[in-house]
Amino acid sequence: MKHELYEKTKAFAEEHLKPYAAASDREGAFPKEGIQALRESGLFGLVIPKEYGGMGLGIAEHAEVCVALAEYDPSASLCYMMSNVGAYCLSLYASEGIKQEILPKVAKGEAILGLAYSESGTGTHFYLPEMKEDQRDGYAILTGRKSFVTTAREADYYITSAHNEDTDSVNLWLVENNAEGMSFEHNYDGVGLRGNVSDPMVLDHTKVDNFWKIEGDGDGDRLIFLVGLASSSAGIAMGISRETSRYVKERTYSTGKSLGDFETVEVNLADIYANAFAAREVLFSAAGMVDENDDEAFKNIIAARITTTRSAIENANIGMRLFGGRGFVRYQEPMERLMRDSYGAQVMAPGYDVLRVWLGRMLADLNYLKGI
């Protein structure tokens, strides 16, 4: 099957993301140039319904775009996908007033969204927020700290979750950047995915009008979120395949023979491509099942996230061997950056081992969340 949007987005990413990826990693800086190009491209409107100015496309297209972006800059892909998840969440759950106010801006690239869910007290189980929601007359006071907020300081609005102790319920809120009482700590110095600038966000008695309340806990956006995370790993796996193929062809000995002309290199190169291709296609297949409302979609999205995580890390290990000493030197070749980036998926909530527990429980016909 030809994935036309994927191929088109790869060309876009090579032109607009690749030139800045190494510097973003080296400096631990938000990929401003790439995100600005994405704003101007209209791709932030990918999953926004047409009636709000978006493209009205689905989870399958979300996967294609995110994988393509991640092949050249995984950090930019993750920042982009978080906004897509936010837009999808608003499309599902927000009031008509919020939809009319926010979604057209996102579709035009005038605003992007961030997610502020994870907390240090509950770790990977971000569906159990400790941030407090104190409901008043027509507004709420939000107080708490979110631990890893991708696109920190750079998004225009953040969707965050809070617990109302009076009703023992979890609600989502849309909070504008620079709201009174909002601040960001500066402590993200990640091993990889350094352009995410995933710093903690603090809301200190932040007043939010009830207009910006999103009823429910947003559980329906879990699939597009998991697809986005899996897309990052699939893109990294494909990026490693591209870069190792390039390197073994360019690396020559004094005899004129290329590194690629050795059988041990060739079999490892084959393994890298096979891993990457399988990871990408498993993900694309599972994402399509979401759009088809297939009963097996959730289970297979989890399986795809497990597969893509494992494939990216395995490819990084093999790729480093093929690059040898040059690959091990910081900032000389892209291999060491891709290796560092590949490790991130293990710990991004929900983490690798949590997903394996979920899938195992589902296969045993048990409630996947019980016992966590």
Side-chain angles (χ1 to χ4, degrees):
M1 179 184 293
K2 185 72 171 177
H3 305 293
E4 293 183 4
L5 183 58
Y6 165 71
E7 296 295 341
K8 181 179 178 181
T9 307
K10 271 208 308 183
F12 170 90
E14 184 173 15
E15 179 180 356
H16 295 288
L17 270 59
K18 182 182 179 181
Y20 310 104
S24 175
D25 170 75
R26 188 166 54 249
E27 299 163 12
F30 182 73
K32 287 182 180 291
E33 296 87 354
I35 295 299
Q36 181 58 36
L38 282 165
R39 283 180 182 260
E40 295 170 3
S41 73
L43 281 170
F44 276 108
L46 186 79
V47 298
I48 293 175
K50 291 181 179 179
E51 57 264 39
Y52 301 106
M55 300 181 190
L57 298 177
I59 309 300
E61 291 82 6
H62 170 70
E64 289 190 28
V65 171
C66 290
V67 171
L69 298 177
E71 291 191 27
Y72 290 96
D73 188 347
S75 287
S77 177
L78 283 170
C79 294
Y80 167 78
M81 86 85 173
M82 295 289 184
S83 188
N84 270 8
V85 174
Y88 190 79
C89 177
L90 296 185
S91 299
L92 288 178
Y93 302 113
S95 66
E96 186 60 29
I98 292 178
K99 292 176 184 178
Q100 294 284 357
E101 176 71 19
I102 301 299
L103 292 181
K105 293 180 182 178
V106 177
K108 294 175 186 176
E110 296 173 358
I112 62 175
L113 304 172
L115 305 179
Y117 289 160
S118 62
E119 298 180 4
S120 57
T122 52
T124 192
H125 314 299
F126 53 74
Y127 44 85
L128 300 171
E130 294 180 342
M131 176 172 280
K132 290 182 170 53
E133 169 195 318
D134 183 11
Q135 189 62 230
R136 306 289 178 84
D137 185 17
Y139 64 94
I141 300 295
L142 303 183
T143 304
R145 178 181 182 272
K146 298 296 181 175
S147 55
F148 289 95
V149 180
T150 296
T151 323
R153 288 176 295 277
E154 302 292 343
D156 299 283
Y157 298 88
Y158 295 90
I159 299 177
T160 193
S161 55
H163 179 238
N164 186 312
E165 293 182 349
D166 293 335
T167 60
D168 192 25
S169 61
V170 173
N171 293 303
L172 300 182
W173 293 84
L174 188 65
V175 185
E176 190 171 5
N177 195 357
N178 296 319
E180 186 174 353
M182 175 188 286
S183 64
F184 291 91
E185 299 173 7
H186 292 264
N187 67 3
Y188 181 73
D189 188 14
V191 171
L193 301 171
R194 291 171 49 75
N196 287 358
V197 290
S198 295
D199 283 319
M201 182 183 81
V202 176
L203 296 183
D204 185 5
H205 295 86
T206 297
K207 179 180 177 180
V208 185
D209 192 279
N210 280 348
F211 175 83
W212 301 107
K213 183 178 181 180
I214 304 166
E215 296 293 340
D217 59 8
D219 188 55
D221 65 8
R222 62 185 176 178
L223 295 180
I224 187 173
F225 180 69
L226 291 171
V227 166
L229 293 178
S231 297
S232 173
S233 293
I236 291 168
M238 291 299 299
I240 292 171
S241 179
R242 180 192 67 246
E243 292 298 334
T244 50
S245 293
R246 172 194 61 81
Y247 181 73
V248 301
K249 288 183 288 186
E250 294 176 355
R251 175 72 168 91
T252 57
Y253 294 91
S254 56
T255 61
K257 189 174 184 179
S258 74
L259 183 60
D261 198 15
F262 289 86
E263 189 172 275
T264 53
V265 171
E266 292 158 1
V267 296
N268 281 289
L269 203 62
D271 284 345
I272 288 175
Y273 180 78
N275 284 341
F277 178 77
R280 187 190 71 189
E281 293 304 311
V282 163
L283 173 60
F284 285 172
S285 175
M289 295 176 73
V290 179
D291 292 330
E292 295 166 1
N293 295 312
D294 193 301
D295 291 340
E296 302 287 291
F298 183 36
K299 179 176 70 177
N300 289 330
I301 288 296
I302 294 175
R305 170 103 200 279
I306 292 169
T307 299
T308 55
T309 299
R310 195 160 47 211
S311 295
I313 293 171
E314 183 175 347
N315 275 8
N317 291 335
I318 302 172
M320 183 56 73
R321 296 203 302 271
L322 294 185
F323 270 81
R326 285 181 60 85
F328 199 66
V329 177
R330 289 289 290 266
Y331 310 133
Q332 191 169 75
E333 293 282 355
M335 189 60 243
E336 58 89 22
R337 169 168 54 88
L338 290 167
M339 180 185 70
R340 290 185 283 106
D341 286 347
S342 74
Y343 293 157
Q346 298 179 90
V347 297
M348 287 188 292
Y352 180 72
D353 289 327
V354 170
L355 290 166
R356 292 165 66 211
V357 171
W358 286 4
L359 182 57
R361 290 185 65 84
M362 292 169 70
L363 293 171
D365 291 330
L366 298 170
N367 183 330
Y368 75 97
L369 290 178
K370 187 176 181 180
I372 299 295

